[in-house]
Amino acid sequence: MVQANTTYGFIGLGQMGHGMAKNIRQKVPIDCNLVIYDVRAEAMNEFIKDYSNGSNVIAATSPKQVGELADIILTSVPKAPHVKDVFLNPDTGLLATQKRSGRKILYLELSTIDAKVSTEVARAVIDGGFGDFVDAPCSGGSMGAESGNLSFMVGSPDKLYPQVLEVCMLMGKETSIFHCGGLGTGLKTKLLNNYLSSLTTLATAETINIGIRGGLDAGKLNKVLNASSGMSFNTAVNNPVPGLTPNNAASKGYVGGFSLELCLGVLELGLKAAQDLGAKTILGLPMLEAYRDAARDKRFQGKDSKIIYKWLGGEDPVLS
């Protein structure tokens, strides 16, 4: 059960972080403060305007100030260098705070980054006596973040997991929150999830593009896939073809969601992990090259990664 008078901290109000921070603010007791930080002051101001009740949302001037005020801190930033800066910057980082006797902070790092970097940050937190650290990357996209339906892959010591589960349940359902093992296992699991999801995105885009070019009705084809063995999350929930899952980024001009560049970065980590382990892969490199080529095209840069459908030459379907 969420404790009253707990102060939460959230760093990173981007596509994922905004929805997660919103759900925390809406679901914890009103007397629990939420301290937020984002490099974009306008993001913090907008959040306070939309979700503050009196003075229970506080805009921090740096991660360091979040660390000075919060008991439980969640971080959701784009890449490993951002995570390191948020935690380890000697002037503004979370660990630049003055340690206080008897105070132990719980840090949940939600970003999808290299497990080695996460372990480096974890060691700085734990060995420095700042508190406890877990990696808890999430899946479900910006839609899942806003609706509170994310899945979480948690890497943490067994003794911490009950408390971590309570926090994650503010942003997702218990049935979609998984304790994957010790530190780093959440991130290793998440990289594999993204690897498979990107494969099925590309396969879905190819399949429906072929169908449309062959004269099939895209909507009817997708209904068949969703009732048959071709069904996946990327046919049913987050389809790369505009209009087939109306509320996702692909149906909104590929704006928002999980950017092509971030997706590419995660895929490179996933394939590198396979190579380091000596695991044979057949589909990984061609998939990676497809996303790399798409990311070089100025038409697709900054768009949601489902834009891979347009890279294939896919057209917006005529839906009946």
Side-chain angles (χ1 to χ4, degrees), residues 32-54:
C32 291
N33 285 333
L34 174 64
V35 186
I36 57 173
Y37 176 74
D38 193 277
V39 293
R40 300 163 300 132
E42 65 272 17
M44 293 191 287
N45 293 336
E46 192 73 17
F47 189 93
I48 289 173
K49 185 179 78 172
D50 291 341
Y51 304 114
S52 180
N53 187 326

Side-chain angles (χ1 to χ4, degrees), residues 2-184:
V2 175
Q3 297 293 314
N5 300 316
T6 298
T7 296
Y8 291 81
F10 203 102
I11 295 174
L13 299 176
Q15 295 288 345
M16 298 293 290
H18 176 275
M20 289 190 278
K22 177 195 76 173
N23 276 286
I24 290 172
R25 178 61 279 164
Q26 291 178 339
K27 294 177 183 178
V28 300
I30 197 168
D31 58 352
C32 291
N33 285 333
L34 174 64
V35 186
I36 57 173
Y37 176 74
D38 193 277
V39 293
R40 300 163 300 132
E42 65 272 17
M44 293 191 287
N45 293 336
E46 192 73 17
F47 189 93
I48 289 173
K49 185 179 78 172
D50 291 341
Y51 304 114
S52 180
N53 187 326
S55 59
N56 64 0
V57 179
I58 301 164
T61 57
S62 67
K64 178 181 178 181
Q65 189 181 15
V66 178
E68 290 168 344
L69 297 174
D71 307 301
I72 297 173
I73 298 174
L74 302 91
T75 56
S76 177
V77 294
K79 294 184 178 181
H82 305 115
V83 174
K84 292 182 74 171
D85 189 63
V86 163
F87 278 87
L88 305 180
N89 186 296
D91 299 315
T92 62
L94 285 166
L95 305 192
T97 57
Q98 186 75 34
K99 286 183 286 187
R100 287 179 288 186
S101 178
R103 183 169 183 252
K104 202 172 186 182
I105 299 171
L106 174 62
Y107 301 87
L108 283 81
E109 215 300 290
L110 311 176
S111 314
T112 302
I113 61 169
D114 187 343
K116 290 181 181 178
V117 173
S118 180
T119 300
E120 177 188 345
V121 172
R123 291 268 59 93
V125 169
I126 297 165
D127 296 346
F130 290 93
D132 294 309
F133 179 100
V134 303
D135 53 287
C138 52
S139 181
S142 56
M143 291 189 302
E146 291 293 334
S147 64
N149 286 305
L150 292 172
S151 60
F152 287 87
M153 291 138 271
V154 179
S156 79
D158 291 346
K159 65 179 182 179
L160 283 180
Y161 184 67
Q163 184 183 7
V164 173
L165 176 62
E166 281 192 2
V167 178
C168 290
M169 284 174 62
L170 297 170
M171 303 166 287
K173 293 182 172 61
E174 184 173 2
T175 52
S176 297
I177 301 169
F178 304 94
H179 187 197
C180 299
L183 285 173

Side-chain angles (χ1 to χ4, degrees), residues 185-217:
T185 59
L187 278 168
K188 291 177 181 179
T189 302
K190 177 66 185 341
L191 289 178
L192 292 177
N193 175 75
N194 280 48
Y195 183 94
L196 180 58
S197 179
S198 296
L199 280 170
T200 59
T201 294
L202 185 55
T204 299
E206 287 185 357
T207 298
I208 297 177
N209 186 39
I210 294 168
I212 292 172
R213 289 170 182 260
L216 295 179
D217 180 294

